[in-house]
Amino acid sequence: MRTPKKFVLLGATGSIGTSTLRVLRKHPDKLKLIGVSAHSRARELANIVDEFDVAHAHLNRKIDDMPNFREGTNLTFEAEALDHLAAHPEAEIVVVALVGAAGLRPTLAALEAGKKVVLANKESLVVGGQLVTETACRTGGQIIPADSEHNAVFQCTMGQPTNSLDSIILTASGGAFRDLPLGELKNVTLKQALNHPNWSMGPKVTIDSATMANKGLELIEAHWLFGLAPEKLEAVIHPPSLVHAFVRFVDGCCFAQLSPPSMTFALQNSLLHPKRFPGVEPTLDFSNPLDLSFSPPCLKRYPCLKLAQEALHQGGSAPLVFNAANELAVEAFQMNRIGFIQISSIIEHSLSIMESCNPKSLNELLDHDQRVRRLASERINSLSD
Ligand code: NDP
Ligand code: MG
């Protein structure tokens, strides 16, 4: 019998982290968790360490009422320790399931150490796509996309001749306000924005789905993962989220990947690739009618998608600016400091003010990210005064 593959799970307490643990419970003979991280949910992290007998745990922040971790756990708190965990010599696979640009550093650390990175954290590619992909090329590290749309493309292109790929169409549910009259968008609440019609996800990506900033980030992510020009990347609204992406080949044939809207499918595929085993959940039932409708997104309803597409075309630092301003704006919306429709105006403002440049190294990227955050923060302050 083969020994289980050892892996590290960064962002273990989140939505993707939880789905990854479901895959692990199903396949304990194939995977062994050796390291986990969280931001501040110490109790949840300690429970994961207990259940899966995890040797290494990292927490960004100590909380007042720290729980006891299983005896012998190597528990760390310093920022650099997260990078060390991502590069742990025993780990074959590193799942990056952190939210936001905070995923960039550990993704680079894992790739620098030549790991197979199961990447859910799309923001790291949006912020540092060039550096991330060049690092993987240089070290032989591998990026396996876990974002459902990109994992779908990954599956559809597997075994196809190089250069046969023409274009990619990512599907989007349209989020919480897909059918709301446009005039009512200005009054929507956080609770409504968090009520996603199909997917159960963390709060940031759920709000990003409602604005379709998420699909914008994913178009940029696809650009770096699959090397296609911006005009070869499309987004289409598909309300039931059964088809995750289409791949159009140069001969005009289109492939699609279908599975129910749960991340366990994409995560299992990326963790156990190239093998296939029974999944965690029941799959599609074709004995009932399935809705396979598709329609182009209305950019008036989704200005964040338009801004992301423009940033992708512009290139350089524009995707980074889009991402940082979006992260700040979403946070401000969650704190009830700005309204839902102001999210796009914060991003637009940052994109129009920030000078275009081409940060290359990690430090340059992080510096530029901080500058955008300061600018967006000032804008938010002026709007919420
Ligand atoms: P969650 O908010 O549910 O979880 C985020 C995880 O990252 C938690 O473990 C959290 O710890 C940790 N974390 C938060 N902030 C930081 C930080 N600054 N530094 C280090 N760790 C941090 O997010 P999701 O699981 O929904 O999303 C994770 C990533 O996967 C995102 O990039 C998202 O876009 C992507 N994704 C998510 C999908 C989904 O279905 N959820 C689908 C496809 C992609 P703590 O719990 O302690 O706060
Ligand atoms: Mg996705």
Side-chain angles (χ1 to χ4, degrees):
M1 208 177 84
R2 281 206 55 187
T3 47
K5 287 184 181 171
K6 293 182 180 168
F7 78 107
V8 161
L9 173 55
L10 306 180
T13 49
S15 164
I16 289 286
T18 304
S19 294
T20 305
L21 297 176
R22 292 181 69 193
V23 175
L24 175 57
R25 280 190 198 98
K26 173 88 182 175
H27 298 290
D29 54 327
K30 300 179 185 68
L31 296 164
K32 168 70 188 143
L33 187 57
I34 62 159
V36 285
S37 86
H39 184 58
S40 59
R41 284 195 280 175
R43 202 159 303 281
E44 287 82 349
L45 194 68
N47 289 341
I48 294 169
V49 166
D50 275 350
E51 180 183 349
F52 297 97
D53 193 18
V54 184
H56 307 277
H58 175 84
L59 201 59
N60 274 12
R61 254 194 223 158
K62 267 190 192 162
I63 56 167
D64 289 342
D65 187 16
M66 276 295 285
N68 287 328
F69 277 69
R70 198 178 54 94
E71 214 181 311
T73 311
N74 171 29
L75 180 62
T76 57
F77 299 97
E78 314 74 39
E80 316 78 60
L82 183 63
D83 297 351
H84 292 149
L85 188 57
H88 196 284
E90 280 182 31
E92 190 175 330
I93 304 170
V94 178
V95 181
V96 184
L98 311 183
V99 62
L104 178 60
R105 264 189 99 102
T107 299
L108 284 170
L111 288 171
E112 199 60 63
K115 306 291 181 197
K116 169 171 157 177
V117 173
V118 167
L119 190 63
N121 176 267
K122 61 199 79 182
E123 294 92 342
S124 51
L125 275 173
V126 173
V127 172
Q130 187 157 348
L131 182 60
V132 170
T133 49
E134 281 175 4
T135 304
C137 261
R138 176 168 51 75
T139 64
Q142 197 186 357
I143 305 170
I144 310 268
D147 206 348
S148 54
E149 299 78 0
H150 306 73
N151 181 261
V153 174
F154 179 67
Q155 294 192 46
C156 291
T157 49
M158 197 55 52
Q160 295 295 325
T162 353
N163 301 332
S164 64
L165 181 61
D166 176 73
S167 45
I168 287 172
I169 301 102
L170 305 181
T171 63
S173 67
F177 306 127
R178 184 180 62 219
D179 301 318
L180 197 76
L182 277 182
E184 290 177 31
L185 279 178
K186 60 180 182 302
N187 299 321
V188 297
T189 63
L190 174 61
K191 194 167 166 224
Q192 289 171 307
L194 290 175
N195 187 18
H196 196 283
N198 308 335
W199 296 90
S200 161
M201 309 184 285
K204 194 251 175 187
V205 64
T206 306
I207 296 167
D208 283 350
S209 295
T211 61
M212 271 186 85
N214 183 50
K215 212 49 52 182
L217 295 171
E218 290 184 352
L219 291 173
I220 302 168
E221 182 186 10
H223 166 71
W224 289 111
L225 285 171
F226 305 109
L228 289 181
E231 58 277 13
K232 295 287 187 180
L233 300 164
E234 301 165 40
V236 67
I237 303 258
H238 169 51
S241 305
L242 302 177
V243 174
H244 301 293
F246 291 100
V247 167
R248 197 188 278 121
F249 290 98
V250 286
D251 60 1
C253 293
C254 292
F255 282 20
Q257 184 268 335
L258 287 79
S259 47
S262 161
M263 285 305 293
T264 61
F265 294 93
L267 285 163
Q268 175 166 321
N269 180 273
S270 41
L271 278 161
L272 300 181
H273 167 81
K275 296 196 173 154
R276 291 188 188 265
F277 298 96
V280 175
E281 297 169 83
T283 188
L284 299 178
D285 176 4
F286 286 88
S287 64
N288 290 314
L290 288 183
D291 173 6
L292 293 183
S293 56
F294 305 92
S295 57
C298 160
L299 295 179
K300 266 204 180 125
R301 180 179 297 279
Y302 301 112
C304 289
L305 175 62
K306 184 165 178 273
L307 291 167
Q309 286 172 320
E310 286 166 4
L312 173 59
H313 274 90
Q314 198 181 324
S317 57
L320 178 154
V321 175
F322 176 90
N323 180 70
N326 180 55
E327 283 191 31
L328 269 248
V330 168
E331 212 176 278
F333 173 63
Q334 285 178 280
M335 294 188 299
N336 206 17
R337 297 190 62 206
I338 59 167
F340 180 77
I341 57 169
Q342 284 172 316
I343 295 176
S344 62
S345 72
I346 306 283
I347 301 172
E348 189 168 20
H349 178 257
S350 299
L351 282 167
S352 68
I353 299 270
M354 287 301 293
E355 77 286 8
S356 181
C357 58
N358 206 359
K360 287 215 162 66
S361 68
L362 176 61
N363 283 343
E364 285 169 352
L365 289 163
L366 296 178
D367 276 359
H368 202 63
D369 183 77
Q370 283 308 315
R371 268 192 276 153
V372 184
R373 281 167 200 263
R374 277 195 295 276
L375 178 82
S377 178
E378 281 163 20
R379 183 70 172 175
I380 289 164
N381 289 342
S382 73
L383 288 174
S384 59
D385 275 348

